[in-house]
């Protein structure tokens, strides 16, 4: 990481901050050594078949009707899975002996769970049953339940990007539906269908348990992602829906992103952005293309709203603005060096952004104070994962899900290649200096999840013969403690092969779900939940 050139009207970096030895780190647009699981990746690699197809309906009377998603119970509280008389697919791999961690008290005598649901959607299907907890070792916790989905959909598959945990309900988006499940046993509580496919979801929720979802304005290829809906995640009821109005002839609704703060939801898309009240849908403000430095993407976090703006000068200079979420007024502006642009957002409050110059391959991670002035630059960290990806022309960036901020500390993972381990690095945001590193263990991978009570919660990915773990890491980087140890045996290869998963840890339970399904008429794992 290098100290970026100082743009006009910006204060010098404080003495001792960000003055780094050595050449610039090759980072902007170039993944560091090994593949980076946290940056953009090839779209939706095929999932190994961890669940064998079962017929839907009594007696196995044919496949699911085309374009009719059917979410099936693959395991109840006891977490059983029907395999149709066939064992689990064997997975290759040599990852063993992860870094030892302390263990919080767990069941003294793990035992297999009773098998009560055959998983065919009717509770009376046949086939061999395999208890996902049958391979538990001493000190390991449980699979609470597993959901699969069988969808006969379009050739490119279907998105399932949304996952929200609200009270006693976990909600999952899949293609044209939102479905809420009980967090304790996976029983379906409600399903809300949409007129067309869901094309964007907000990751946040309001204090009342509401979120915002966008869906397309019709079926077929020549449709746009213009329909906005607010949903009560506790009840599965629609609060309101509306069409997001165009802000001009160049307002193209390509891959919109949603961000929520207070009673405001922002809709950022293709160089234009607008905002609405979550409570009633009233329009608050908009930023059509125009002269000056026009905000074209908003992002909220930790009670603050920022905007990425592109100026109409010949260099298309980039700025970051502090924004009033009710009026859209600019509170402060940070101008990036010439030719630099924001490639990733690690935190909104405090503001920590990854910036780079595509021509020179220079890259820096800078920290901005409450007034928008640069206060620090992160020092170099060998192999630091390259953000969550620059989206190119349509730069509606969202905060990297694997970046966590707590008080004055930023936690980031390093890159992990195939068969290689990674680590979590903590940075002091006041100085930009590295505070500590915690390794994942031999050939293991760690992902930061959240900060709770001064401790970092992280997920250690499962391996072929060993379940994953939820770890609690002290603020000083001391010995991690396992708050959940997921079971070995038949559960581990299922957990291990979730592709580009959505992860959550809430109220002592760990949730992992697929974000894309192949939708080829076969059972695919959708949502898996672990707990005590």
């Amino acid at each position: 990481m290098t100290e970026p050139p100082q743009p006009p009207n910006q204060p010098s970096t404080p003495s001792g901050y960000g003055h780094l030895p050595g050449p610039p780190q090759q980072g902007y647009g170039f993944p560091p050594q090994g593949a980076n699981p946290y940056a953009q990746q090839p779209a939706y690699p095929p999932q190994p078949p961890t669940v064998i197809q079962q017929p839907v309906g009594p007696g196995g009377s044919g496949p699911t009707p085309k374009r009719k998603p059917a979410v099936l119970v693959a395991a109840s509280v006891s977490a059983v899975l029907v395999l149709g008389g066939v064992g689990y697919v064997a997975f290759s791999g040599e990852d063993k002996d992860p870094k030892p961690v302390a263990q919080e008290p767990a069941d003294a005598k793990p035992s297999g769970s009773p098998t009560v649901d055959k998983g065919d959607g009717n509770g009376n299907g046949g086939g061999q049953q395999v208890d996902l907890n049958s391979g538990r070792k001493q000190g390991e916790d449980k699979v609470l339940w597993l959901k699969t989905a069988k969808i006969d959909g379009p050739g490119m598959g279907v998105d399932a990007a949304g996952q929200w945990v609200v009270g006693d309900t976990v909600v999952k988006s899949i293609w044209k539906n939102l479905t809420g499940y009980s967090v304790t046993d996976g029983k379906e509580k409600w399903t809300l269908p949409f007129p067309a496919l869901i094309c964007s979801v907000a990751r946040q929720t309001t204090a009342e348990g509401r979120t915002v979802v966008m869906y397309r304005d019709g079926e077929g290829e020549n449709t746009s992602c213009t329909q906005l809906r607010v949903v009560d995640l506790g009840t599965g009821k629609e609060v309101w829906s509306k069409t997001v109005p165009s802000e001009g002839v160049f307002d193209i609704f390509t891959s919109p992103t949603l961000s929520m703060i207070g009673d405001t939801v922002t809709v950022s898309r293709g160089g234009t952005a607008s905002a609405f009240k979550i409570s009633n849908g009233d329009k608050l403000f908009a930023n059509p293309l125009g002269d000056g430095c026009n905000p074209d993407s908003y992002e909220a976090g930790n009670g603050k709203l920022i905007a990425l703006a592109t100026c109409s000068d010949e260099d298309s200079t980039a700025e970051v603005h502090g924004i009033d979420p009710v009026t859209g007024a600019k509170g402060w502006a940070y101008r990036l060096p010439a030719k630099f642009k924001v490639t990733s957002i690690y935190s909104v409050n405090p503001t920590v952004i990854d910036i780079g110059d595509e021509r020179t391959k220079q890259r820096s991670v800078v920290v901005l104070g409450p007034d928008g002035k640069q206060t620090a630059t992160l020092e170099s960290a060998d192999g630091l994962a390259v953000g969550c990806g620059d989206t190119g022309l349509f730069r509606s960036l969202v905060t990297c899900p694997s970046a966590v901020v707590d008080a004055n500390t930023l936690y980031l993972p390093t890159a992990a290649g195939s068969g290689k381990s990674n680590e979590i690095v903590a940075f002091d945001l006041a100085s930009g200096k590295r505070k500590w590193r915690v390794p994942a263990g031999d050939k293991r991978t760690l992902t930061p999840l959240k900060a709770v009570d001064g401790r970092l919660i992280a997920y250690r990915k499962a391996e072929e013969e060993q379940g994953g773990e939820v770890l609690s890491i002290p603020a000083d980087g001391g010995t991690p403690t396992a708050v959940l140890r997921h079971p070995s045996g038949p559960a581990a290869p299922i957990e291990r092969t979730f592709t580009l998963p959505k992860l959550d840890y809430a109220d002592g339970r760990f949730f992992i779900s697929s974000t894309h399904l192949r939708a080829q008429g076969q059972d695919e794992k959708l949502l898996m939940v672990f707990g005590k």
Side-chain angles (χ1 to χ4, degrees), residues 15 50 110 125 130 142-143 181 200 230 268 303 367 409 423 460 475 482 503:
S15 177
T50 58
V130 174
K142 303 173 184 177
V143 177
Y181 306 97
S200 184
V230 172
S268 305
V367 183
T409 303
E423 56 191 6
R460 179 147 60 187
L503 310 174

Side-chain angles (χ1 to χ4, degrees), residues 228-527:
L228 193 66
R229 176 179 289 185
V230 172
V231 178
D232 185 318
L233 296 174
T235 64
K237 303 296 185 183
E238 173 187 333
V239 180
W240 54 260
S241 293
K242 69 178 297 179
T243 299
V244 177
S246 173
E247 299 299 333
V249 294
F250 297 107
D251 190 357
I252 303 173
F253 285 80
T254 301
S255 302
T257 60
L258 299 170
S259 197
M260 297 165 53
I261 175 173
D263 194 30
T264 299
V265 57
T266 60
V267 183
S268 305
R269 70 273 182 186
T272 306
S274 50
F276 305 87
K277 279 190 174 184
I278 298 171
S279 55
N280 58 19
D282 288 351
K283 184 177 177 180
L284 292 171
F285 56 87
N287 289 290
L289 294 172
D291 294 332
C293 297
N294 182 61
D296 52 28
S297 178
Y298 293 96
E299 177 65 345
N302 198 20
K304 299 293 183 182
L305 181 66
I306 62 172
L308 306 184
T310 303
C311 303
S312 56
D313 55 24
E314 66 176 62
D315 290 330
S316 297
T317 303
E319 290 188 347
V320 180
H321 297 168
I323 299 294
D324 184 308
V326 176
T327 66
K330 177 175 66 177
W332 51 261
Y334 169 77
R335 174 161 288 203
L336 274 64
K339 305 299 183 182
F340 274 65
K341 64 178 179 178
V342 177
T343 60
S344 295
I345 301 171
Y346 295 130
S347 172
V348 173
N349 184 25
T351 303
V352 185
I353 52 175
D354 202 327
I355 64 175
D357 183 335
E358 188 175 23
R359 304 164 307 149
T360 64
K361 312 308 175 190
Q362 286 182 293
R363 173 191 176 214
S364 296
V365 177
V366 298
V367 183
L368 306 182
D371 56 0
K373 291 183 172 59
Q374 182 180 330
T375 60
T377 303
L378 265 60
E379 71 177 356
S380 177
D382 294 338
L384 189 67
V386 183
C388 51
D390 176 19
T391 55
L393 179 61
F394 303 111
R395 297 186 310 115
S396 297
L397 299 180
V398 297
T399 303
C400 296
S402 58
V404 173
V405 171
D406 182 29
N408 200 38
T409 303
L410 171 68
Y411 306 96
L412 290 174
T414 61
S418 177
K420 297 181 180 179
S421 62
N422 81 328
E423 56 191 6
I424 292 176
V425 185
F427 292 93
D428 186 320
L429 292 180
S431 66
K433 295 185 179 298
R434 186 174 64 246
K435 297 172 67 175
W436 49 258
R437 297 172 179 256
V438 169
D442 185 33
K443 300 180 182 179
R444 302 298 296 271
T445 302
L446 276 174
T447 304
L449 296 179
K450 61 170 64 175
V452 178
D453 298 328
R455 299 172 69 89
L456 176 69
I457 303 298
Y459 172 58
R460 179 147 60 187
K461 184 179 177 181
E463 293 302 310
E464 180 185 355
E465 298 178 354
Q466 184 168 2
E469 293 174 294
V470 179
L471 304 180
S472 175
I473 303 174
D476 61 1
T479 302
T481 299
V483 296
L484 281 180
R485 273 194 169 134
H486 303 167
S488 305
I494 298 177
E495 180 188 0
R496 173 178 177 262
T497 53
F498 274 89
T499 305
L500 300 176
K502 176 71 175 178
L503 310 174
D504 274 307
Y505 178 73
D507 297 326
R509 301 180 186 91
F510 178 74
F511 304 80
I512 181 170
S513 68
S514 299
T515 54
H516 191 84
L517 299 178
R518 299 173 69 187
Q520 296 179 356
Q522 297 183 353
D523 278 350
E524 299 176 80
K525 56 187 175 295
L526 176 66
L527 173 60

